[in-house]
Amino acid sequence: MSKLEQLPPKSAKRGRTLIAALLTLPAVLGLLALAPAAAQGATGADHCVVNLVTDEVSCAATQAAAFAEDRAASAEVGVLADTVLITLYDRTNYDVAGGTRSFVATDYTCTAAYSPVEFSVDYLDAAGWNNRASSVHTYRSCDIKLWDSVTLSGASSTWIDNLANLDTIGWANRAGSYQIS
């Protein structure tokens, strides 16, 4: 048998190998798409404190550790921002197991009026919290207004004081930005 007669079977075998590899590609890409989420879960740094005075974000494996990191970072720059204004929870009923995002300021109490707005957070997606909040706890006379999209656009909720289940008003896993007043 000549070498030319052997080429078609090898080419066919290479073609089958190529097809098999191409057929497994979607599964591999699917696993790679899940990898960042798995890596984030593995690190456990899903509790963050956003300092509204210094614009710094401190994250850790527990909520208490995130607050401790924020206090240490604040002390380094000489700004003590130890007053919690709001905490968003990934789960209902203020369950910290799914992750939290707290916003702190320096000895601050919100005014009773909704106008003027005292703080705005335009991009929850940058913080990994877009469409994630399932409950919210407010402190120091603060209320929160949630917005569907980033930059305070789209539909908005009513002003919320505390709510253990945002789904009761149709806002679970929906907020892209918010205001505090």
Side-chain angles (χ1 to χ4, degrees):
M1 190 180 309
S2 73
K3 287 186 180 186
L4 291 177
E5 292 173 17
Q6 292 175 359
L7 287 179
K10 284 185 180 181
S11 295
K13 185 176 180 180
R14 283 187 194 137
R16 284 191 302 272
T17 303
L18 180 60
I19 290 170
L22 289 175
L23 289 175
T24 60
L25 186 61
V28 170
L29 290 176
L31 289 174
L32 289 175
L34 293 175
Q40 181 180 7
T43 63
D46 210 14
H47 297 276
C48 296
V49 175
V50 178
N51 190 314
L52 295 170
V53 178
T54 63
D55 289 326
E56 295 295 322
V57 178
S58 301
C59 298
T62 67
Q63 189 179 33
F67 278 113
E69 285 189 23
D70 176 66
R71 281 190 299 278
S74 292
E76 283 183 24
V77 294
V79 176
L80 183 60
D82 60 349
T83 304
V84 180
L85 301 181
I86 66 158
T87 298
L88 299 172
Y89 298 82
D90 185 41
R91 296 184 179 175
T92 60
N93 299 316
Y94 316 115
D95 183 357
V96 298
T100 60
R101 195 130 187 116
S102 297
F103 295 80
V104 299
T106 303
D107 192 28
Y108 196 87
T109 298
C110 291
T111 62
Y114 296 132
S115 181
V117 169
E118 296 171 61
F119 296 100
S120 292
V121 175
D122 294 344
Y123 294 96
L124 279 173
D125 61 340
W129 271 79
N130 194 40
N131 301 326
R132 189 169 168 189
S134 294
S135 58
V136 62
H137 197 286
T138 60
Y139 306 89
R140 307 288 291 225
S141 300
C142 294
D143 292 322
I144 186 171
K145 184 180 227 179
L146 306 172
W147 293 84
D148 248 344
S149 301
V150 297
T151 64
L152 307 171
S153 59
S156 65
S157 71
T158 59
W159 286 98
I160 302 165
D161 186 21
N162 289 312
L163 195 54
N165 186 351
L166 288 170
D167 200 33
T168 61
I169 61 168
W171 276 89
N173 303 315
R174 185 173 167 186
S177 55
Y178 68 87
Q179 294 174 310
I180 300 173
S181 186

